[in-house]
Amino acid sequence: MAGPTDRGGSLGAALNNLLRTQVTPRHRLSTYTARHWHAQLSQLTGTRRGYEALATAGLDVRPDTLIRWLSDAECNVRRSYRDLIHTAYENVAFAPAEPLTDTVKNGTYEISGLVRTGADERERGNRRAAPLRIDASRGDWTDIETRWLTGDLRDDDLEDLFIDEIIVSDIGAGTDGWEFSGSSYSVELR
């Protein structure tokens, strides 16, 4: 039985697309669209999480000052305070990513597309060549998961890390390393 599969214009894009279908990535909440400091402060002070974010950002003002700011959108607030409000707002506006699951970290990946190691270059995943099968349980997912959780896992970074930490851990460095220079890849997780 086939597992979840995704495609992309590079190996990194296909992997990132597959991860997004398996685990919720870090993302902006749709209710956080305020641009002006006053609207941001009003929304933050409406929740406990917002007050915590303001404290974490370093906003330390007396309650009467906060009430004055909230009652007058035209109040003259120092730039440094507006920056702290904006920082707190942005911190609350994003929902954290879910950690990568054991299914993702311990699965078998079948990679279809152009694969090269040394002089051996071929299109994998067709009638002439089976997909490249990788046992991900042998790899070190630490760097990949760290970037995933911060929302900073770009396609090219994921491809490099997947090669260095997962593929090489499973089947070795290849003749002269691994290259995925094609323009279309499919990755299936089993």
Side-chain angles (χ1 to χ4, degrees), residues 114-129:
L114 188 62
V115 179
R116 177 186 173 126
T117 180
D120 181 16
E121 180 178 61
R122 57 187 139 149
E123 191 73 28
R124 304 295 298 254
N126 58 32
R127 284 190 272 152
R128 290 188 214 132

PDB file of all heavy atoms in Angstrom, residues 114-129:
ATOM      1  N   LEU A 114      15.818  12.564 -10.949  1.00  0.00           N
ATOM      2  CA  LEU A 114      17.206  12.437 -11.382  1.00  0.00           C
ATOM      3  C   LEU A 114      18.148  12.381 -10.171  1.00  0.00           C
ATOM      4  O   LEU A 114      18.166  13.305  -9.355  1.00  0.00           O
ATOM      5  CB  LEU A 114      17.587  13.609 -12.285  1.00  0.00           C
ATOM      6  CG  LEU A 114      18.941  13.539 -12.975  1.00  0.00           C
ATOM      7  CD1 LEU A 114      18.995  12.336 -13.919  1.00  0.00           C
ATOM      8  CD2 LEU A 114      19.214  14.815 -13.739  1.00  0.00           C
ATOM      9  N   VAL A 115      18.908  11.276 -10.072  1.00  0.00           N
ATOM     10  CA  VAL A 115      19.830  11.065  -8.955  1.00  0.00           C
ATOM     11  C   VAL A 115      21.211  10.773  -9.531  1.00  0.00           C
ATOM     12  O   VAL A 115      21.358   9.972 -10.440  1.00  0.00           O
ATOM     13  CB  VAL A 115      19.377   9.885  -8.063  1.00  0.00           C
ATOM     14  CG1 VAL A 115      20.358   9.671  -6.920  1.00  0.00           C
ATOM     15  CG2 VAL A 115      17.973  10.131  -7.523  1.00  0.00           C
ATOM     16  N   ARG A 116      22.213  11.429  -8.943  1.00  0.00           N
ATOM     17  CA  ARG A 116      23.581  11.218  -9.408  1.00  0.00           C
ATOM     18  C   ARG A 116      24.511  11.004  -8.225  1.00  0.00           C
ATOM     19  O   ARG A 116      24.446  11.720  -7.229  1.00  0.00           O
ATOM     20  CB  ARG A 116      24.047  12.421 -10.217  1.00  0.00           C
ATOM     21  CG  ARG A 116      25.481  12.310 -10.673  1.00  0.00           C
ATOM     22  CD  ARG A 116      25.926  13.599 -11.331  1.00  0.00           C
ATOM     23  NE  ARG A 116      27.336  13.524 -11.595  1.00  0.00           N
ATOM     24  CZ  ARG A 116      27.880  13.725 -12.772  1.00  0.00           C
ATOM     25  NH1 ARG A 116      27.138  14.058 -13.790  1.00  0.00           N
ATOM     26  NH2 ARG A 116      29.176  13.639 -12.919  1.00  0.00           N
ATOM     27  N   THR A 117      25.366  10.009  -8.358  1.00  0.00           N
ATOM     28  CA  THR A 117      26.486   9.825  -7.440  1.00  0.00           C
ATOM     29  C   THR A 117      27.660   9.392  -8.299  1.00  0.00           C
ATOM     30  O   THR A 117      27.595   8.388  -9.003  1.00  0.00           O
ATOM     31  CB  THR A 117      26.183   8.826  -6.309  1.00  0.00           C
ATOM     32  OG1 THR A 117      27.339   8.719  -5.482  1.00  0.00           O
ATOM     33  CG2 THR A 117      25.769   7.472  -6.800  1.00  0.00           C
ATOM     34  N   GLY A 118      28.709  10.182  -8.290  1.00  0.00           N
ATOM     35  CA  GLY A 118      29.859   9.905  -9.161  1.00  0.00           C
ATOM     36  C   GLY A 118      29.439   9.936 -10.617  1.00  0.00           C
ATOM     37  O   GLY A 118      28.764  10.853 -11.064  1.00  0.00           O
ATOM     38  N   ALA A 119      29.814   8.898 -11.376  1.00  0.00           N
ATOM     39  CA  ALA A 119      29.464   8.815 -12.802  1.00  0.00           C
ATOM     40  C   ALA A 119      28.083   8.211 -13.018  1.00  0.00           C
ATOM     41  O   ALA A 119      27.576   8.204 -14.138  1.00  0.00           O
ATOM     42  CB  ALA A 119      30.516   7.984 -13.541  1.00  0.00           C
ATOM     43  N   ASP A 120      27.464   7.688 -11.968  1.00  0.00           N
ATOM     44  CA  ASP A 120      26.149   7.058 -12.075  1.00  0.00           C
ATOM     45  C   ASP A 120      25.057   8.118 -11.943  1.00  0.00           C
ATOM     46  O   ASP A 120      24.795   8.635 -10.863  1.00  0.00           O
ATOM     47  CB  ASP A 120      25.988   5.993 -10.989  1.00  0.00           C
ATOM     48  CG  ASP A 120      24.645   5.287 -11.050  1.00  0.00           C
ATOM     49  OD1 ASP A 120      23.958   5.396 -12.093  1.00  0.00           O
ATOM     50  OD2 ASP A 120      24.294   4.630 -10.064  1.00  0.00           O
ATOM     51  N   GLU A 121      24.443   8.443 -13.094  1.00  0.00           N
ATOM     52  CA  GLU A 121      23.341   9.392 -13.093  1.00  0.00           C
ATOM     53  C   GLU A 121      22.169   8.745 -13.808  1.00  0.00           C
ATOM     54  O   GLU A 121      22.303   8.288 -14.940  1.00  0.00           O
ATOM     55  CB  GLU A 121      23.726  10.687 -13.807  1.00  0.00           C
ATOM     56  CG  GLU A 121      22.603  11.702 -13.840  1.00  0.00           C
ATOM     57  CD  GLU A 121      23.010  12.997 -14.518  1.00  0.00           C
ATOM     58  OE1 GLU A 121      23.364  12.965 -15.707  1.00  0.00           O
ATOM     59  OE2 GLU A 121      22.967  14.032 -13.840  1.00  0.00           O
ATOM     60  N   ARG A 122      21.042   8.672 -13.113  1.00  0.00           N
ATOM     61  CA  ARG A 122      19.872   8.061 -13.736  1.00  0.00           C
ATOM     62  C   ARG A 122      18.584   8.591 -13.131  1.00  0.00           C
ATOM     63  O   ARG A 122      18.560   9.093 -12.015  1.00  0.00           O
ATOM     64  CB  ARG A 122      19.923   6.553 -13.653  1.00  0.00           C
ATOM     65  CG  ARG A 122      20.038   5.990 -12.273  1.00  0.00           C
ATOM     66  CD  ARG A 122      20.253   4.503 -12.328  1.00  0.00           C
ATOM     67  NE  ARG A 122      21.237   4.126 -11.343  1.00  0.00           N
ATOM     68  CZ  ARG A 122      21.252   2.977 -10.722  1.00  0.00           C
ATOM     69  NH1 ARG A 122      20.369   2.060 -11.031  1.00  0.00           N
ATOM     70  NH2 ARG A 122      22.167   2.708  -9.831  1.00  0.00           N
ATOM     71  N   GLU A 123      17.549   8.434 -13.917  1.00  0.00           N
ATOM     72  CA  GLU A 123      16.207   8.789 -13.493  1.00  0.00           C
ATOM     73  C   GLU A 123      15.677   7.627 -12.662  1.00  0.00           C
ATOM     74  O   GLU A 123      15.531   6.517 -13.159  1.00  0.00           O
ATOM     75  CB  GLU A 123      15.326   9.025 -14.730  1.00  0.00           C
ATOM     76  CG  GLU A 123      13.993   9.642 -14.440  1.00  0.00           C
ATOM     77  CD  GLU A 123      14.058  11.117 -14.071  1.00  0.00           C
ATOM     78  OE1 GLU A 123      14.981  11.826 -14.517  1.00  0.00           O
ATOM     79  OE2 GLU A 123      13.181  11.549 -13.318  1.00  0.00           O
ATOM     80  N   ARG A 124      15.412   7.880 -11.383  1.00  0.00           N
ATOM     81  CA  ARG A 124      14.925   6.829 -10.481  1.00  0.00           C
ATOM     82  C   ARG A 124      13.408   6.855 -10.420  1.00  0.00           C
ATOM     83  O   ARG A 124      12.788   7.880 -10.640  1.00  0.00           O
ATOM     84  CB  ARG A 124      15.501   7.045  -9.077  1.00  0.00           C
ATOM     85  CG  ARG A 124      17.017   7.108  -8.965  1.00  0.00           C
ATOM     86  CD  ARG A 124      17.713   5.815  -9.327  1.00  0.00           C
ATOM     87  NE  ARG A 124      17.375   4.711  -8.470  1.00  0.00           N
ATOM     88  CZ  ARG A 124      18.163   4.181  -7.540  1.00  0.00           C
ATOM     89  NH1 ARG A 124      19.372   4.659  -7.335  1.00  0.00           N
ATOM     90  NH2 ARG A 124      17.751   3.164  -6.820  1.00  0.00           N
ATOM     91  N   GLY A 125      12.830   5.684 -10.128  1.00  0.00           N
ATOM     92  CA  GLY A 125      11.388   5.592  -9.965  1.00  0.00           C
ATOM     93  C   GLY A 125      10.637   5.372 -11.265  1.00  0.00           C
ATOM     94  O   GLY A 125       9.499   5.799 -11.400  1.00  0.00           O
ATOM     95  N   ASN A 126      11.288   4.706 -12.209  1.00  0.00           N
ATOM     96  CA  ASN A 126      10.599   4.364 -13.460  1.00  0.00           C
ATOM     97  C   ASN A 126      10.822   2.877 -13.749  1.00  0.00           C
ATOM     98  O   ASN A 126      11.330   2.144 -12.908  1.00  0.00           O
ATOM     99  CB  ASN A 126      11.085   5.244 -14.623  1.00  0.00           C
ATOM    100  CG  ASN A 126      12.581   5.143 -14.854  1.00  0.00           C
ATOM    101  OD1 ASN A 126      13.195   4.099 -14.625  1.00  0.00           O
ATOM    102  ND2 ASN A 126      13.186   6.238 -15.294  1.00  0.00           N
ATOM    103  N   ARG A 127      10.498   2.425 -14.955  1.00  0.00           N
ATOM    104  CA  ARG A 127      10.626   0.994 -15.267  1.00  0.00           C
ATOM    105  C   ARG A 127      12.081   0.515 -15.267  1.00  0.00           C
ATOM    106  O   ARG A 127      12.353  -0.638 -15.004  1.00  0.00           O
ATOM    107  CB  ARG A 127       9.994   0.679 -16.624  1.00  0.00           C
ATOM    108  CG  ARG A 127       8.478   0.646 -16.525  1.00  0.00           C
ATOM    109  CD  ARG A 127       7.860   0.117 -17.782  1.00  0.00           C
ATOM    110  NE  ARG A 127       7.656   1.231 -18.704  1.00  0.00           N
ATOM    111  CZ  ARG A 127       7.634   1.135 -20.005  1.00  0.00           C
ATOM    112  NH1 ARG A 127       7.810  -0.011 -20.595  1.00  0.00           N
ATOM    113  NH2 ARG A 127       7.430   2.201 -20.743  1.00  0.00           N
ATOM    114  N   ARG A 128      13.007   1.396 -15.540  1.00  0.00           N
ATOM    115  CA  ARG A 128      14.412   0.989 -15.622  1.00  0.00           C
ATOM    116  C   ARG A 128      15.151   1.050 -14.287  1.00  0.00           C
ATOM    117  O   ARG A 128      16.155   0.375 -14.100  1.00  0.00           O
ATOM    118  CB  ARG A 128      15.148   1.871 -16.624  1.00  0.00           C
ATOM    119  CG  ARG A 128      14.731   1.594 -18.030  1.00  0.00           C
ATOM    120  CD  ARG A 128      15.606   2.339 -19.011  1.00  0.00           C
ATOM    121  NE  ARG A 128      14.774   2.702 -20.136  1.00  0.00           N
ATOM    122  CZ  ARG A 128      14.710   3.882 -20.671  1.00  0.00           C
ATOM    123  NH1 ARG A 128      15.473   4.854 -20.226  1.00  0.00           N
ATOM    124  NH2 ARG A 128      13.918   4.123 -21.674  1.00  0.00           N
ATOM    125  N   ALA A 129      14.700   1.885 -13.381  1.00  0.00           N
ATOM    126  CA  ALA A 129      15.402   2.046 -12.099  1.00  0.00           C
ATOM    127  C   ALA A 129      14.392   2.300 -10.983  1.00  0.00           C
ATOM    128  O   ALA A 129      13.548   3.181 -11.094  1.00  0.00           O
ATOM    129  CB  ALA A 129      16.398   3.193 -12.174  1.00  0.00           C
TER     130      ALA A 129
END
